[in-house]
Amino acid sequence: MKTAAIYARVSSDKQKEENTIASQTSALIAFAREQNCDVPAEWVIEDDGYSGASLLRPGLERLRDLAAEGRIQAVLVYAPDRLSRRYAHQILLIEEFARAGVEVLFIRSRRAATPEDELLLQFQGMIAEYERAQILERSRRGKRHRALQGQVSVLSGAPFWLSLQAQDRSLCRLL
């Protein structure tokens, strides 16, 4: 029986509200049983509300420490994009774990046993990175559109100059 740690992550408030991290964790606990892995309760690690674009996440740091200390033999993650939204970071982490003798197992991705499996993992990483960039672009575009319509929220984080331009346009329409 392998000693393993579970890693789950969500980044958005909507995901937090919908409790998707609990669904990941539940699926990973069942996956651990299927893979014949022993996961101590304290090694069910969740990064709730942390972006996958950054490597600076408390849960991920703890996971990396467990691997470096030789305390685990496997890391169980729901999907590659839960480990990281950046392909380069995914590869960096997978290689770091491999150097420590730790196998990374994903529920939503096969083990990279063949060149084809490795290619599929790479594509999934690149698609996750692309998807994140698309989400950021849509969000930016929506905020800009609302600002130009005069619907600027103080909490939206819109650039100050853009807020002023939108307010000027709103005032001109009133006159």
Side-chain angles (χ1 to χ4, degrees):
M1 184 171 274
K2 292 181 200 173
T3 303
I6 284 176
Y7 180 74
R9 180 193 65 78
V10 295
S11 56
S12 74
D13 290 335
K14 183 178 179 188
Q15 289 172 317
K16 277 179 158 180
E17 289 169 13
E18 293 174 356
N19 210 17
T20 61
I21 202 162
S23 67
Q24 281 181 53
T25 301
S26 177
L28 286 161
I29 289 169
F31 184 61
R33 276 187 238 115
E34 291 170 16
Q35 298 296 314
N36 200 27
C37 292
D38 176 42
V39 181
E42 64 272 12
W43 291 351
V44 175
I45 300 169
E46 297 178 338
D47 270 331
D48 200 354
Y50 287 89
S51 171
S54 171
L55 289 175
L56 299 175
R57 295 176 254 151
L60 182 61
E61 290 295 321
R62 186 164 168 238
L63 185 66
R64 293 169 84 181
D65 289 345
L66 287 171
E69 293 166 5
R71 300 180 74 190
I72 56 175
Q73 291 137 349
V75 172
L76 310 178
V77 185
Y78 190 77
D81 69 334
R82 300 297 86 203
L83 184 59
S84 178
R85 278 288 194 169
R86 294 189 178 216
Y87 172 67
H89 291 172
Q90 284 179 14
I91 297 304
L92 174 107
L93 290 167
I94 290 169
E95 288 179 356
E96 177 182 321
F97 290 132
R99 281 192 306 275
V102 176
E103 182 179 20
V104 180
L105 301 172
F106 299 107
I107 291 177
R108 305 289 279 188
S109 181
R110 292 189 301 187
R111 267 187 209 135
T114 67
E116 291 81 11
D117 292 342
E118 184 68 33
L119 182 63
L120 179 60
L121 181 62
Q122 291 171 3
F123 276 131
Q124 287 174 329
M126 288 183 280
I127 290 168
E129 190 169 340
Y130 171 75
E131 180 183 27
R132 181 179 182 281
Q134 286 290 89
I135 291 167
L136 289 173
E137 171 57 24
R138 287 183 199 123
S139 177
R140 185 199 64 75
R141 189 174 61 238
K143 286 179 183 179
R144 185 174 188 280
H145 177 75
R146 285 189 301 279
L148 292 172
Q149 298 294 312
Q151 302 171 358
V152 178
S153 167
V154 176
L155 302 175
S156 73
F160 181 71
W161 66 268
L162 187 57
S163 300
L164 289 178
Q165 287 180 346
Q167 288 172 2
D168 290 345
R169 274 194 280 286
S170 296
L171 290 174
C172 290
R173 275 187 251 148
L174 292 173
L175 299 173

